[in-house]
Structure formats: C-alpha cells, structure tokens
Amino acid sequence: MKTYDFICIGGGSAGFNAARLAASYGKKVAVVDGAKQLGGLCILRGCMPSKTLIYAGEIMHHATHAARFGIKVGRVSADMKAMHVRKKRIIADFADYREQALKSGRFDLHQAYATFIDSHTIQLSNGEVLKGKHFLIGTGSKVSVPDIPGLKETKTWTSDEVLDLDFVPKSVIVLGGGIVATELAQFLNRIGSEVTLIQRSTHVLREHAADSAKVIEQAFRDEGIEVITDTKLTSISSGKGGVAVKFEQAGKSSIRRAAHLFNALGREPATDKLGLAAAGVKADDKGQIKINRWQQTSVPHIYAAGDCSGPVEIVHIAIAQAEVATRHAFRRKEAKPVDYSQLLHVVFTDPQLATIGLDEKKLKERGVKYLSASYPFNDHGKSILMEANYGYVRVFAEPKRGRILGAEIVGKDAGELIHCFSTPITMRATVRDMLRAPWYHPTLAEIITYPLEEIAEKLPRRKPAR
C-alpha cells in the first residue's frame, strides 16, 4: 500500500494544478484519474472544443452576411467533417500537453477511479489501495437529467454529442437557457440547423441581469432562433420523425417538434461514486461538496475544488481554489481564500456577455451604495462601422471616490473588453484613475470611457490643491 502526502482525485484543472503546486513543495503526490482520455472537461469536452466551433460559426455568420459590408460572397455552407477534423487536431495538442505534464514524473499518476474506504484511504478501480495525509477532490461535473416525464427515456444529445457532430442537423430543440445552451444553440443555428430554445426561467442566462439577457434573446431572434422563455416542461416523447416537447407558457399548452433534442438543462457534481459518506465528507442533495473558505470539506484534511464544490463552474476559479487548498494543507504563509468580489464571467454568444466584480443585484442585496452609468454599442463609432450594434457597457462605482465595484458588458468582444476592468478592480482604482489612461480612437475599448465619464461627473468635486 502506497502512502502520499497529497492525493488529488481528478486530473482536470483543479487536480492537476493542486498536484503541480504540492510537488513544488517537495511533497509526495499522486493524481488519480480513471478517464479514458486525460485532460479534464475544459480541454476535452468544454471550453476549448466549444470555442473552436463557436468561432468557426462566427466566421460563417460573417461570410453569410458579407453583403452588408459591400462584399459579394457565393453560397456559404458548413463543411462539418472538415470543421470536426480541425477541432480534433487543436484539442489533441492541448490534451497531449496535459497528458505529458501528468506523466512527467513530478507525481505518481494512477489511471483508475477512486472510492473512499475511510477518511485517509481510497480503493482504486484497478484493485490498488492508497493512503493519503491530505486529499483534494476535483472530479468536476456531469450533465444533469431533471425529472421531466419522458426525458430519461428519450434519446437526447448532451454537449458532448453536439461538440462531436460531423453533419448539420436539420432541426434541434435545445432544452435550457444557460451558458452551454445559449452558446451551442447559436452555433447550431449558424451552421444551418433550425433551432428552438426552450427555457424554464423568465429569461435566458438567468444568473445574469435581465437587461443583458434580453439583448442576447433579441440577437438570437434576429438570427432566426425561436426563443421561448418562462415555461414549464410537461412531457417529452420520441418517434420515427424525431422528438416532441410539450410545455406550458402563460397558462397555454404548446408543443414543438424537431429531428433532435439537446439536453442543456445544466450540470451536477460528479461525486456520486466517490464514497463520500465513508470518508465523512458532507454534500448537499445534489452531490455538491460543502466547503469552507479554505476549500476544506467537513473533514479538515480533505479539500474540494472546481465544479464538484462550486460556487461557480469556471476554470480559473477551479485553479485558484485548488491552489488555496494546497497552500492551506501545507500551512504556507501565502495562503489566502479566493476573493469572489473580483469574479469574472464570460458567455461566448454573439454578442458576448461579460461581467466582473459586483453586479447590481449583489450590490442591492448587500446594501452597498453605488453609482452606475451605461452606454450603448449602437451609438459608438467603432461598433457602428463593424455592424456590432447590440448591447451596452455598464459600470458600477462607489459614490464618494468613484472606486470601481463592477462592470457589465454585453456586446461585440465583451469577453476581451471586460479585462480592461480586471487590473483597476484588483488595484481598487477609481473611475478617475481609469480616465487618466489613454484610450485610442476609434476602438471598441473606447466605449468604456463614456460611462466612466458620466460617473465621474456625479462624484463630489475635488478640493483644489494649494
């Protein structure tokens, strides 16, 4: 039986980075991962393949609508086999790099699944038994299948199948309105599928502001996606012709039919086979592991990070959490909890939606006084000439000095533009600090200066220097 200072269960973003850091401290470390292909969700079935295909869909969309720029283009169609081959080639490079890092010899790699026997011992699916002084659980998440009549019995796609398509589906019903649902619904529409998106909440992307979600919904409808919100799904059935989804909306029963059904109703922690109870680790009824600010579970020497523990499913947060856990486990002085007040989100729809820091909902919930200002893309020079007229930039700042509290951008390249606020928020800078910096004209980034200027005008006047 082998004994380790630190055992990471899961070799994705959380587990790999925790193992890397622990090994740098000179600790004896193991990574346990039973997946057929190493690399983790982000590389293999999440961020990287989806963004590869989404960008290809964006290129196709621009080619299809080139006439508005005065450019003549012939018939545009998606070569899905070529798109699929390109995606596999790109992802293989990332996956190979991660696999080499996992097999570099800095720590032991056990390619098997783990189940806790007790709080210091795990049984592997290959028969081995390992003991650990500390553990990091980073097993990620899996697709959720809600209790909707007929859903479990119906053949559905998950994001895995959509990302592996090598043909253009005739028609698809997308269940859900979260990040995965919206990003891939637009991709499917842009490659030529007839898409219907059915969302249970009052608007898509329900974790975000209704104003920004409405912009996305309008853009989708303008592109030909049928967006149906505020529904109750009542039944799902399938037959030779495809699938049928029945739902209620505003007290009226409706039905939609399509060749394929894409279940994008969310994900849940992949913790059900870990034997958490045997280790004494507590989780909620959905399997999400309960943690404190140091990423410790109910058993202090067992930590958790990433999708399996939340509170958000974002790669850079999973890495930060894993590093916090590792530093805390080995009593490093630099250990500090993750600061969620600087939380950064990006949704890769077109227009993109991005936020950083505190949004209006959180500010109101916390009773924080603030000033806000916004400016629309359809009144900004660079976005107008780019035909990028959807959306706005909104900034939140405290009312005395103008310190930046948060920002919200929905519009062209919002995921890139939001990083203009990353350093200022981290440095606790003010709107006046940001306005002291040069902003080139004409650029998309220049639009940020307009809400900053509006807030600056609302701030108390500075006393003149003597």
Side-chain angles (χ1 to χ4, degrees):
M1 184 187 302
K2 294 182 179 179
T3 300
Y4 294 91
D5 297 311
F6 200 53
I7 298 178
C8 299
I9 304 175
S13 298
F16 168 71
N17 283 282
R20 174 192 55 77
L21 187 57
S24 74
Y25 297 154
K27 305 299 180 181
K28 187 178 180 182
V29 181
V31 173
V32 179
D33 193 317
K36 291 181 180 179
Q37 186 178 7
L38 296 171
L41 177 65
C42 173
I43 292 175
L44 300 175
R45 302 181 306 282
C47 311
M48 302 314 295
S50 67
K51 278 51 183 181
T52 301
L53 295 178
I54 288 167
Y55 187 70
E58 183 178 349
I59 297 297
M60 183 172 172
H61 179 72
H62 286 312
T64 303
H65 297 278
R68 62 187 178 184
F69 295 98
I71 301 171
K72 291 184 178 181
V73 176
R75 182 177 177 273
V76 179
S77 62
D79 183 344
M80 290 301 293
K81 292 189 185 299
M83 200 180 292
H84 181 62
V85 168
R86 177 178 181 268
K87 181 212 70 177
K88 288 182 69 176
R89 184 183 73 248
I90 291 172
I91 299 313
D93 288 341
F94 292 115
D96 289 348
Y97 181 80
R98 174 61 60 83
E99 184 169 349
Q100 289 172 16
L102 284 166
K103 294 180 177 179
S104 64
R106 289 180 291 175
F107 37 75
D108 291 350
L109 174 65
H110 297 268
Q111 292 189 255
Y113 293 104
T115 303
F116 281 100
I117 297 174
D118 58 46
S119 65
H120 282 282
T121 314
I122 53 173
Q123 171 82 54
L124 304 190
S125 55
N126 62 10
E128 286 187 84
V129 176
L130 307 180
K131 277 194 170 292
K133 296 178 182 176
H134 300 90
F135 291 85
L136 185 285
I137 301 172
T139 48
S141 61
K142 59 183 180 179
V143 173
S144 174
V145 184
D147 188 18
I148 299 169
L151 180 58
K152 291 180 181 178
E153 295 76 27
T154 302
K155 183 180 180 182
T156 62
W157 285 341
T158 68
S159 55
D160 291 357
E161 285 75 32
V162 174
L163 294 174
D164 265 345
L165 285 175
D166 60 1
F167 69 98
V168 177
K170 180 181 179 182
S171 56
V172 183
I173 293 174
V174 180
L175 297 181
I179 294 174
V180 173
T182 52
E183 289 182 352
L184 294 183
Q186 189 175 40
F187 164 72
L188 288 166
N189 176 71
R190 286 182 164 185
I191 62 173
S193 299
E194 182 182 323
V195 177
T196 299
L197 185 149
I198 304 176
Q199 162 73 332
R200 293 174 292 183
S201 300
T202 54
H203 60 79
V204 300
L205 301 168
R206 61 187 177 89
E207 300 298 327
H208 293 269
D211 287 351
S212 58
K214 294 301 181 185
V215 173
I216 305 298
E217 289 179 14
Q218 187 59 54
F220 277 20
R221 292 186 175 108
D222 290 347
E223 288 190 21
I225 300 172
E226 183 180 19
V227 179
I228 307 171
T229 59
D230 200 13
T231 68
K232 179 183 178 182
L233 298 173
T234 54
S235 70
I236 296 169
S237 59
S238 60
K240 291 183 179 179
V243 296
V245 177
K246 292 183 179 180
F247 58 92
E248 293 179 1
Q249 185 188 46
K252 181 182 177 182
S253 182
S254 299
I255 188 169
R256 293 293 186 275
R257 292 182 172 85
H260 304 280
L261 181 66
F262 171 22
N263 171 19
L265 290 168
R267 301 182 69 86
E268 60 187 34
T271 58
D272 54 316
K273 297 178 181 179
L274 287 175
L276 296 179
V281 174
K282 293 181 180 179
D284 65 17
D285 56 0
K286 293 183 179 180
Q288 188 171 77
I289 298 172
K290 297 179 180 180
I291 53 170
N292 64 14
R293 66 193 188 114
W294 299 108
Q295 306 300 130
Q296 288 174 295
T297 69
S298 51
V299 181
H301 67 271
I302 301 178
Y303 297 77
D307 292 5
C308 67
S309 61
V312 292
E313 299 174 0
I314 303 174
V315 169
H316 75 272
I317 294 296
I319 294 170
Q321 291 175 333
E323 291 177 349
V324 168
T326 308
R327 292 183 180 115
H328 188 265
F330 298 109
R331 302 296 183 262
R332 305 293 293 195
K333 291 181 180 179
E334 63 269 27
K336 292 182 180 179
V338 176
D339 183 358
Y340 294 103
S341 68
Q342 301 175 20
L343 193 60
L344 180 64
H345 280 276
V346 179
V347 182
F348 289 88
T349 48
D350 182 13
Q352 294 177 0
L353 194 167
T355 61
I356 189 170
L358 299 174
D359 60 19
E360 195 159 26
K361 182 181 178 181
K362 290 189 179 74
L363 289 166
K364 288 180 177 179
E365 287 174 348
R366 300 181 186 186
V368 177
K369 293 181 179 181
Y370 64 93
L371 295 174
S372 69
S374 62
Y375 198 86
F377 273 74
N378 65 6
D379 194 39
H380 179 56
K382 184 63 183 289
S383 54
I384 289 171
L385 66 87
M386 294 175 73
E387 295 285 344
N389 295 310
Y390 293 103
Y392 58 85
V393 176
R394 181 172 290 155
V395 179
F396 305 101
E398 61 90 26
K400 290 185 178 180
R401 293 180 54 251
R403 181 170 66 85
I404 306 293
L405 300 173
E408 174 183 300
I409 305 177
V410 54
K412 176 67 175 174
D413 291 337
E416 309 298 328
L417 294 177
I418 199 69
H419 289 83
C420 292
F421 292 97
S422 295
T423 299
I425 286 180
T426 302
M427 301 293 290
R428 301 176 65 84
T430 69
V431 293
R432 286 172 174 150
D433 291 330
M434 289 189 70
L435 287 169
R436 288 170 58 196
W439 298 83
Y440 202 84
H441 172 80
T443 61
L444 277 180
E446 184 188 20
I447 192 175
I448 289 170
T449 63
Y450 301 130
L452 292 176
E453 287 171 348
E454 185 177 333
I455 292 174
E457 289 175 0
K458 297 176 183 178
L459 296 176
R461 295 288 181 183
R462 288 175 171 172
K463 293 181 180 180
R466 292 182 179 179

